[in-house]
Amino acid sequence: MILSIESSCDDSSIAITKIATKEILYHKKISQEEEHSVYGGVVPELASRLHAVALPKILAETTPYFDQLKAVAVTNQPGLGVTLLEGIAMAKTLAMLQGIPLIAVHHLKAHIYSLFIEKETIFPLLVLLISGGHTQVIRVSSFEQMEILATSMDDSVGESFDKCAKMMGLGYPGGPLIEALAKEGNEDRFDLPVPLRNSPLIAFSLSGLKNAVRLKVEALGGAEAMSHQDRADLSASFQKAITRHLIQKSKKIFASESIGDFAIVGGASANGYIREAYASLCEAFGKRMHLAPLHYCADNAAMVGRYALDAYAKEVFIAPNQLDSTTTKKQKAGMLL
Ligand code: KG4
Ligand code: ZN
């Protein structure tokens, strides 16, 4: 079995995965959404302290599996440095005490592997990753080869939902709140700009749209002065603009990529409106669409464990004294995962 740990942001999670069958034998996640909600976003120092309490609490439930562990896996990047280190320290200690190998897991690769939990892998695969920290289209050729085809030049999709929700005084995380409100709203009431609409660039940009939402909130007299209907209409209009932007740029990529399998992963892939828009796009292009189950879209240790199964089979291990929460230069340049 492999024990996997996730602490890259505001979710403390541990899973136990059976190597022979890929089965999840144990999975638990403690989210900190409520604690961060009052601040309208994640406070790293607070998140780190909450992990320091939650992770050992979860780990205590997994001690019956300790004798059968063959490896320990942990998310080491990208994420919040101070929260990643909570999981990393725990993983190193466990690996050293049990005398078993340690596996470093890239968080975005883990999101991609959320598609394969208790399943076989699908390669090649075209992936749209939309999370709180990233917005990318990735060509996934194999475990080793993942190439970024398009990325956001500024904010990510999840972050935009969160920031717009904060502007409207809705709380955190903004994605589910905006999606729910949008169901009651008129998406044509506010004319928001679809980013990079006339640009040939195959990239994403969301800061302009966020600014446009801010101006609408101001024009309505600020968050407190807005009525429930105002919030619902602005949520719907924002969700429509962001989805149009994603679809417009994805269309260009679909036109030049012959890969028949496409997937959306990351926290924002739970969004039903975005899912529906992509289902139509895939139909038009004759691509098969894949999604992770809703409960594995947001951060979790099960996806870390699924990636670790492949790393274990390929013996991709790291020495405890080599493991840090770092990103390589190549990855920083954004060309490769
Ligand atoms: O993947 P994730 O759990 O964490 C990161 O790796 O960042 O993604 C969290 C993000 C948050 O910004 C949250 O607002 C967004 O996913 N999200 C959504 C929805 N559910 C979560 N965004 C839009 N619609 C949703 N239904
Ligand atoms: Zn994530």
Side-chain angles (χ1 to χ4, degrees), residues 302-317:
M303 66 187 192
V304 179
R306 179 61 187 89
Y307 177 86
L309 286 180
D310 281 19
Y312 182 81
K314 290 168 190 287
E315 298 187 12
V316 182
F317 303 134

Side-chain angles (χ1 to χ4, degrees), residues 31 33 42 67 123 139 143 168 199 217 232-233 259 313:
S31 293
E33 287 169 358
V42 178
D67 284 353
F123 299 132
R139 186 195 291 129
F143 172 81
M168 290 188 268
S199 161
V217 172
D233 293 345
I259 298 172

